[in-house]
Amino acid sequence: MMTKTGQLPILLMGPMVRRAEQACVCIQFATSKPANCRIDLLNNESYSEQQSIALGEHLFLHFVVIKPINEQFPLDTQLPYALFIDGKNIDLSPWCFENQPTPAFVIPNKLTDILHGSCRNAHHPAKDSLVSASKWQNTQRSKNEQGAQLLLLSGDQVYADDVAGPMLLVIYQLIDQLGIYKEQPLELALPSDINEQLYNRHHFLPKTPWQNRSKLGVGYWLKKDEPHFSSVKAYNHLIYFEEYIALYLLNFSAAAWACVDLEKTQYTEQNNKNQTIFNAEKTALIDYAEGLSEVERLFANVSTLMMFDDHDVTDDWNLTAGWEQAISQNKSSKRIVSNGLASYWLFQGIGNDALTKTSALIQPFKDSLVDEDVWQFKAFDKSLHEFNYWHYELTTTPKVVVLDTRTHRWRNESNFNEPSGLLDWARLTDLEESLLSHEQVIIVSPAPVFGVKSIEAIQAMFNICGQPLMVDVENWMAHEGSAKKLLDTFRRTDTPNETLILSGDVHYSFCFSVQKRFGDHPNRIWQLTASGIKNEFPRKLINVLDKLDSILYGPKSPLNFFTKRWHMEVDKHQTIDEGQKYLVSDSAISLITLEQGNLSRYQLIHGDGHLTEFDLEHN
């Protein structure tokens, strides 16, 4: 652990290539001191513009936007770059692939290889698939090939609601080491000692008293208060803004771990169960930290774009209108959700659009730092929650449309406890317009559009019993209006001939192909679900659900005609040489290979390095 600020590395988070287009390229990184920064593309005339945000006494987040001087940057070719800080050429060899003198990325045009994944839980015992993806990319570059042109991360890049005990301790080490600016205290009766908070925070988070709950629900009659934060693993839920900032650094940066001492973290309370959990989490985090330098290498060499799902903020974020109402009526709950969204904006959102629209929040954010380096976010929150441009598109071939399925929900106004639609009418209409007049389109939807029917049926039963939060009823078919509008869009004759839907969220992977049952428009939809990068569904249970789905919803089953998507024929594709599974619960990131814009291969790169491929011909 580094104890003197003079020993802090200049780069606290290495260069991460974000949005990359012909007219501009955005690269983000963090330094331990204020700095004048520029990035040069070595074989192209360019200049750069810098935007910096102070997050602590020794923490500065930088965004450098590189623009061409004369002609636009070339497409589909490797572009090496160099970073200069205060005029000094920074050694970027730790971020280079083998036999490459500098990091290099590709501005994608005709997409051929895409890496996609979601759900990266730092303390899950599964191996980090981003490490395997980086090694795969290194192999491609060593063959003088581009490898993946894009890395798409579609949700749960961090788990703010499911935090390991050792992680919470090193978060506070990092806050102190970097002097990360803190926010004003919240009205929560938390113990002053962070060790006493371990595995106990859920007791201090806001709840709705049972007297205020609906008499139509079981909770009222059981006299059970309802937690605002519904995660079943909220024992160490992040609360303060500075905690979210430290979590991002520890998820994205190997240097951040050099500033803390994970080995010496100890659980000091007398609870054998928690001690066992703490030890297992610590072992997983040690392995996770060791792989981060490899992950940073991938970030520095491949354009990486992201989208939030719930765990980036908190579990079940905006699942029902009732959930939203409970959060908005409590200052502390609203503040915690705002902290999650603000930290997403800083570390994920700004790079997605290269500051085009997200930069509008920068000055209100900076103005929130008041005397004694303390954040006061009351005014900023208004701007943050009014911001409507988390979604974005890429003008590649195929076109990429990334959906925000969290902040534009179609609320059920007749019953606030019913699940909200993942997109409201306005955004669904925008999506419809985005699909028209294109031969092929890639849609990034955090939750699968075409999910496993048997699992959705189980979720529907829990919803009927008034417990949508218990099983995360967050599928597209759970809301009548949004389901109908989306399926009607796919059934139009002027939609793309081939649509790829990239999804995650569910902690298992699968490949479905979908076509209309009626009509002569030869369109095909591929539902490609990869989850999780470092997370897994219980394997025995997923095998049972896989068999149950095959029995209940086989091709000739009459139950198919009772589903909302009965107008669409959904075919499931098995894995090759893997016991012919439909559902794979094994940590992985997907590799999507295209030929002339159409899907040609769908593979999973697993955390231990082995590959699984789905059979696209037979189902």
Side-chain angles (χ1 to χ4, degrees):
M1 177 179 177
M2 300 176 185
T3 56
K4 297 180 181 179
T5 56
Q7 294 177 328
L8 289 173
I10 182 62
L11 277 178
L12 288 172
M13 184 177 76
M16 180 186 293
V17 181
R18 302 303 311 279
R19 193 177 185 104
E21 297 178 306
Q22 279 191 294
C24 74
V25 175
C26 179
I27 297 180
Q28 73 182 51
F29 53 94
T31 62
S32 58
K33 66 176 185 179
N36 292 317
C37 310
R38 84 171 196 270
I39 294 177
D40 292 346
L41 297 190
L42 299 183
N43 300 324
N44 296 270
E45 290 187 325
S46 63
Y47 68 98
S48 60
E49 300 172 346
Q50 175 185 350
Q51 178 63 257
S52 300
I53 302 173
L55 297 175
E57 185 180 358
H58 303 288
L59 176 58
F60 300 85
L61 185 61
H62 305 281
F63 300 87
V64 174
V65 177
I66 314 156
K67 297 182 178 180
I69 291 178
N70 295 314
E71 298 180 358
Q72 291 186 317
F73 295 137
L75 295 167
D76 297 329
T77 185
Q78 290 187 41
L79 301 174
Y81 64 92
L83 170 62
F84 296 85
I85 295 179
D86 293 333
K88 181 182 178 181
N89 191 346
I90 301 300
D91 177 17
L92 294 182
S93 57
W95 292 272
C96 296
F97 286 127
E98 293 176 13
N99 303 320
Q100 286 191 319
T102 64
F105 62 92
V106 168
I107 299 175
N109 178 27
K110 294 184 179 180
L111 296 174
T112 56
D113 291 286
I114 302 168
L115 289 167
H116 163 256
S118 68
C119 306
R120 185 166 174 249
N121 188 330
H123 65 271
H124 193 280
K127 294 288 185 179
D128 189 350
S129 303
L130 278 181
V131 174
S132 299
S134 182
K135 292 177 179 178
W136 178 88
Q137 184 74 359
N138 181 52
T139 300
Q140 307 312 305
R141 292 287 177 90
S142 68
K143 298 176 183 177
N144 233 11
E145 297 178 359
Q146 291 182 5
Q149 303 149 294
L150 271 179
L151 170 60
L152 296 173
L153 302 176
S154 62
D156 302 340
Q157 280 66 256
V158 299
Y159 278 68
D161 61 299
D162 180 6
V163 179
M167 178 70 91
L168 189 59
L169 293 182
V170 295
I171 280 173
Y172 271 84
Q173 289 182 22
L174 192 62
I175 290 170
D176 292 340
Q177 187 73 357
L178 302 182
I180 299 176
Y181 300 143
K182 299 181 179 180
E183 69 171 309
Q184 291 180 331
L186 302 182
E187 296 177 2
L188 297 175
L190 286 167
S192 57
D193 186 347
I194 188 63
N195 292 284
E196 295 179 12
Q197 295 181 29
L198 288 186
Y199 307 108
N200 286 315
R201 280 191 159 189
H202 59 299
H203 296 306
F204 303 98
L205 294 174
K207 299 179 176 67
T208 298
W210 67 269
Q211 297 92 333
N212 296 343
R213 297 186 67 176
S214 171
K215 293 183 180 180
L216 299 177
V218 177
Y220 175 86
W221 301 104
L222 294 178
K223 298 184 178 181
K224 185 178 180 180
D225 297 342
E226 183 176 30
H228 290 180
F229 296 92
S230 51
S231 172
V232 296
K233 298 180 179 180
Y235 317 115
N236 299 310
H237 198 302
L238 295 192
I239 293 173
Y240 294 105
F241 180 68
E242 60 267 23
E243 297 173 354
Y244 282 87
I245 297 304
L247 179 70
Y248 269 102
L249 287 173
L250 292 164
N251 273 271
F252 288 170
S253 165
W257 288 94
C259 298
V260 300
D261 195 338
L262 176 62
E263 291 282 0
K264 291 185 179 180
T265 56
Q266 299 291 334
Y267 178 68
T268 59
E269 300 299 307
Q270 301 300 314
N271 185 307
N272 291 334
K273 179 182 178 182
N274 288 345
Q275 183 68 65
T276 301
I277 294 172
F278 186 95
N279 293 341
E281 290 173 341
K282 185 174 177 178
T283 299
L285 287 176
I286 290 171
D287 183 66
Y288 178 78
E290 289 175 351
L292 271 173
S293 57
E294 190 69 61
V295 174
E296 282 196 277
R297 192 173 291 119
L298 181 64
F299 288 158
N301 289 273
V302 179
S303 175
T304 302
L305 299 173
M306 311 179 189
M307 176 49 69
F308 48 52
D309 204 11
D310 54 347
H311 295 289
D312 299 272
V313 176
T314 187
D315 192 25
D316 299 329
W317 179 30
N318 293 346
L319 190 148
T320 68
W323 188 96
E324 291 186 61
Q325 186 179 60
I327 295 294
S328 66
Q329 292 176 350
N330 183 283
K331 289 183 179 179
S332 294
S333 296
K334 189 175 182 179
R335 175 77 259 126
I336 293 169
V337 169
S338 297
N339 285 339
L341 185 55
S343 60
Y344 167 85
W345 163 69
L346 285 166
F347 284 88
Q348 300 191 61
I350 293 178
N352 285 335
D353 74 345
L355 291 89
T356 302
K357 293 179 179 177
T358 51
S359 62
L361 295 173
I362 291 177
Q363 195 55 52
F365 176 77
K366 290 182 176 181
D367 291 342
S368 300
L369 192 63
V370 296
D371 293 340
E372 300 180 359
D373 298 331
V374 174
W375 297 108
Q376 216 298 0
F377 286 126
K378 185 175 181 180
F380 174 69
D381 282 352
K382 187 174 186 296
S383 300
L384 179 68
H385 289 285
E386 288 177 351
F387 186 77
N388 283 320
Y389 301 101
W390 301 116
H391 56 283
Y392 54 93
E393 297 181 357
L394 298 179
T395 57
T396 50
T397 303
K399 178 182 182 180
V400 177
V401 180
V402 182
L403 305 181
D404 161 16
T405 59
R406 285 287 163 185
T407 72
H408 288 278
R409 294 239 158 168
W410 189 334
R411 299 173 182 88
N412 190 315
E413 296 181 3
S414 61
N415 185 345
F416 276 18
N417 291 321
E418 285 286 320
S420 299
L422 273 61
L423 286 181
D424 60 24
W425 180 270
R427 285 297 300 131
L428 283 167
T429 302
D430 291 342
L431 172 60
E432 186 175 42
E433 291 295 323
S434 295
L435 299 182
L436 304 182
S437 304
H438 291 276
E439 287 297 313
Q440 302 111 346
V441 171
I442 297 173
I443 298 174
V444 179
S445 167
V449 173
F450 299 94
V452 179
K453 293 179 182 178
S454 61
I455 296 177
E456 291 181 356
I458 293 171
Q459 291 176 325
M461 287 190 289
F462 273 86
N463 185 47
I464 291 171
C465 296
Q467 299 295 326
L469 298 174
M470 186 175 293
V471 289
D472 289 353
V473 184
E474 296 193 89
N475 60 75
W476 282 89
M477 301 301 125
H479 186 276
E480 188 75 33
S482 61
K484 183 178 186 305
K485 175 62 176 175
L486 185 65
L487 293 177
D488 285 348
T489 295
F490 286 138
R491 291 167 57 203
R492 288 183 55 155
T493 58
D494 51 359
T495 51
N497 289 333
E498 177 144 310
T499 301
L500 274 63
I501 304 174
L502 309 185
S503 303
D505 179 54
V506 292
H507 302 170
Y508 51 88
S509 304
F510 58 87
C511 173
F512 293 171
S513 59
V514 184
Q515 288 182 298
K516 291 190 301 184
R517 290 187 185 275
F518 314 107
D520 55 2
H521 180 40
N523 65 331
R524 169 166 286 198
I525 302 166
W526 290 98
Q527 174 66 68
L528 308 178
T529 302
S531 183
I533 290 174
K534 197 176 189 299
N535 216 331
E536 294 177 350
F537 198 90
R539 296 192 185 187
K540 290 184 179 179
L541 179 57
I542 200 64
N543 290 335
V544 171
L545 293 171
D546 193 354
K547 292 179 181 178
L548 181 65
D549 191 72
S550 297
I551 294 170
L552 296 180
Y553 295 97
K556 297 181 180 179
S557 171
L559 292 179
N560 289 314
F561 295 95
F562 293 94
T563 64
K564 292 186 178 71
R565 57 194 191 207
W566 71 276
H567 286 287
M568 315 292 286
E569 181 181 346
V570 181
D571 293 319
K572 303 189 297 183
H573 292 258
Q574 296 178 329
T575 57
I576 300 173
D577 298 329
E578 284 279 336
Q580 295 185 321
K581 296 179 181 178
Y582 291 117
L583 307 180
V584 179
S585 180
D586 188 349
S587 67
I589 187 169
S590 70
L591 173 62
I592 299 114
T593 303
L594 307 176
E595 289 184 4
Q596 297 182 335
N598 293 326
L599 180 67
S600 63
R601 294 185 79 181
Y602 183 52
Q603 301 174 83
L604 302 174
I605 304 175
H606 295 281
D608 62 4
H610 82 278
L611 271 68
T612 295
E613 182 170 358
F614 286 91
D615 188 343
L616 302 183
E617 297 298 326
H618 302 93
N619 46 57

